[in-house]
Amino acid sequence: MFVIAGLGNPGREYENTRHNIGFRVIEQIAEKYQISMLERKHKAVIGKGYIDGQKVILVKPLTYMNLSGESIREVTDYYKVDVTAQLVVVSDDISLDVGQLRIRKKGSAGGHNGLKNIILHLGSENFIRIRMGVSDKPQGYDLKDYVLGRFTDKENELLEETGGKAIEAIRMILQGDADGAMNRYNTKKKPAGE
């Protein structure tokens, strides 16, 4: 069993913002694999289903981004998963351009408050994370305003494709090939067309 958690903020005012890209990927997975996301427990909206025969728990924490660890710790404790091998966290990353992914099996929070809180609550940096590029804030912008802003139409088109890549990476991780997912999807070059 795997827990796949996408980070974001609950509430209509945060829908489709840069900071909520983790929620967006969870919604794409739920739609693709027909997993109902209606259950509310562990301070989250959760869905249970299967991806390629592997049981998964999809999680959208309702704690707000900066307290994501509270929910994720409750879920991982309840389902008794090994966080180093059976937890995948999807979050936004301003150091990557829109369209880029970065997969890691461990590491620091990199300044991301949601990841920082998860590390605090799990007591470990050793969990798989997929960081989705949302691009850096333009000069003069406030970081909070920027990450709570919305994507352009062009960026939204690119994100559909990137979400598909994230799902393929997750499928590889579920089959025990996190290294293969990292080799295939980690990239530093700008997406085509930019």
Side-chain angles (χ1 to χ4, degrees), residues 122-175:
L122 296 180
S124 174
E125 294 183 342
N126 298 330
F127 58 89
I128 299 167
R129 72 281 310 265
I130 299 176
R131 294 165 28 209
M132 307 282 293
V134 297
S135 297
D136 200 358
K137 67 180 179 65
Q139 194 167 353
Y141 268 68
D142 176 73
L143 180 61
K144 181 181 174 193
D145 290 342
Y146 178 71
V147 296
L148 295 179
R150 288 179 168 68
F151 293 100
T152 66
D153 289 344
K154 185 179 176 186
E155 288 173 329
N156 273 315
E157 282 177 31
L158 189 54
L159 284 170
E160 284 304 306
E161 183 185 320
T162 311
K165 288 179 183 175
I167 292 170
E168 289 307 307
I170 287 167
R171 289 180 63 205
M172 293 176 75
I173 291 164
L174 297 183
Q175 299 305 319

Side-chain angles (χ1 to χ4, degrees), residues 10 19 35 44 48 51 63 67 70 80 85 111 119 122 124 130 140 142 147 160 165 168-169 184 186:
H19 225 18
I35 298 171
K48 299 173 190 165
I51 297 175
T63 53
L67 300 175
E70 291 178 14
K80 296 178 175 55
I119 291 166
L122 296 180
S124 174
I130 299 176
D142 176 73
V147 296
E160 284 304 306
K165 288 179 183 175
E168 289 307 307
R184 180 173 296 176
N186 286 355

Side-chain angles (χ1 to χ4, degrees), residues 2-44:
F2 279 78
V3 170
I4 305 169
L7 303 189
N9 288 309
R12 272 186 127 62
E13 68 269 36
Y14 298 110
E15 281 178 15
N16 297 316
T17 61
R18 292 175 187 275
H19 225 18
N20 273 33
I21 198 166
F23 278 14
R24 186 172 176 158
V25 171
I26 293 296
E27 289 157 9
Q28 275 186 268
I29 295 169
E31 184 178 334
K32 180 172 177 138
Y33 293 97
Q34 299 173 338
I35 298 171
S36 171
M37 295 291 296
L38 296 174
E39 198 173 345
R40 285 176 174 253
K41 61 192 221 182
H42 311 300
K43 300 178 186 162

